[in-house]
């Protein structure tokens, strides 16, 4: 019989921590009670590979749905050769900067305003739901440079508060 793998030990402790059944430094915590009830052994290191898999299956069943991802899913969809997520975030950040510096509120949404700039400056049609859908990587770089110039030329207080 193969011995338990280090990755299995880590996975058992990770799921145990997520379930809140691990007490650091306590060999008689709920995790060890569970392991003992499934395998009859008191130590994780004494488990075989197959026993560890049985413990992991039981823990995963108790956990229910998969744990939430540690990282947020991408908010901006990418396509090969198109605008990257970073470019899209930068463009939106510049649009929000423009909005903060507005002297009068606009009736158009920020997405509609971005689409108008894309159409005027880049001669590309865009829709507010996905304004970057038809932009290539280099074209999006041009858009970012255009937006930087818009921000530099707009009148109004900078985000710090005092007028320039």
């Amino acid at each position: 019989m193969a011995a338990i793998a280090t990755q299995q030990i880590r996975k058992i402790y990770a799921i145990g921590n997520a379930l809140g059944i691990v007490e650091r430094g306590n060999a008689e915590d709920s995790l060890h009670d569970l392991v003992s009830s499934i395998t009859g052994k008191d130590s994780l290191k004494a488990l075989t590979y197959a026993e560890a898999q049985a413990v992991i299956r039981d823990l995963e069943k108790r956990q229910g749905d998969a744990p939430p991802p540690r990282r947020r899913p991408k908010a901006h969809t990418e396509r090969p050769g198109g605008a990257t997520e970073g470019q899209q975030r930068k463009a939106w950040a510049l649009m929000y900067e423009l909005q903060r510096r507005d002297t009068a509120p606009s009736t158009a949404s920020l997405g509609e305003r971005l689409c108008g700039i894309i159409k005027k400056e880049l001669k590309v049609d865009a829709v507010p739901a996905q304004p970057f859908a038809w932009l290539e990587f280099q074209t999006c770089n041009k858009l970012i440079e255009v937006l930087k110039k818009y921000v530099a030329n707009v009148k109004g207080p900078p985000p710090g508060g005092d007028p320039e």
Side-chain angles (χ1 to χ4, degrees):
M1 283 273 187
I4 187 170
T6 305
Q7 290 175 323
Q8 289 177 306
I9 294 173
R10 287 184 183 148
K11 188 167 188 171
I12 289 170
Y13 275 110
I15 297 172
N17 276 325
L19 292 172
I21 60 173
V22 175
E23 293 177 32
R24 298 235 184 248
N26 184 1
E28 296 178 12
D29 60 2
S30 297
L31 176 67
H32 286 86
D33 290 342
L34 176 74
V35 170
S36 179
S37 71
I38 294 172
T39 65
K41 296 182 180 175
D42 295 329
S43 171
L44 287 179
K45 291 181 181 179
L47 298 179
T48 64
Y49 185 88
E51 291 170 334
Q53 285 301 106
V55 171
I56 290 170
R57 273 193 303 276
D58 187 81
L59 286 169
E60 286 176 337
K61 190 177 2 169
R62 291 172 188 266
Q63 192 175 26
D65 295 334
R70 291 184 179 193
R71 200 171 160 233
R72 280 188 327 193
K74 290 183 178 179
H76 307 289
T77 56
E78 292 184 25
R79 63 179 178 76
T84 66
E85 181 185 9
Q87 287 176 316
Q88 293 176 52
R89 278 197 318 256
K90 180 64 174 178
W92 282 115
L94 290 165
M95 288 301 297
Y96 281 108
E97 179 68 25
L98 276 174
Q99 186 179 39
R100 278 193 296 274
R101 292 177 178 230
D102 280 348
T103 54
S106 174
T107 58
S109 71
L110 210 53
E112 292 169 335
R113 292 173 70 182
L114 178 59
C115 290
I117 293 170
I118 291 171
K119 181 145 179 102
K120 177 183 175 188
E121 299 290 340
L122 304 175
K123 313 293 189 253
V124 175
D125 286 329
V127 293
Q130 290 186 327
F132 303 100
W134 303 106
L135 295 184
E136 299 297 322
F137 179 82
Q138 290 298 332
T139 311
C140 196
N141 279 342
K142 290 178 189 173
L143 173 64
I144 290 169
E145 293 306 314
V146 166
L147 291 172
K148 285 179 182 177
K149 289 178 184 173
Y150 274 47
V151 170
N153 291 332
V154 74
K155 293 183 175 156
D162 292 335
E164 296 176 307

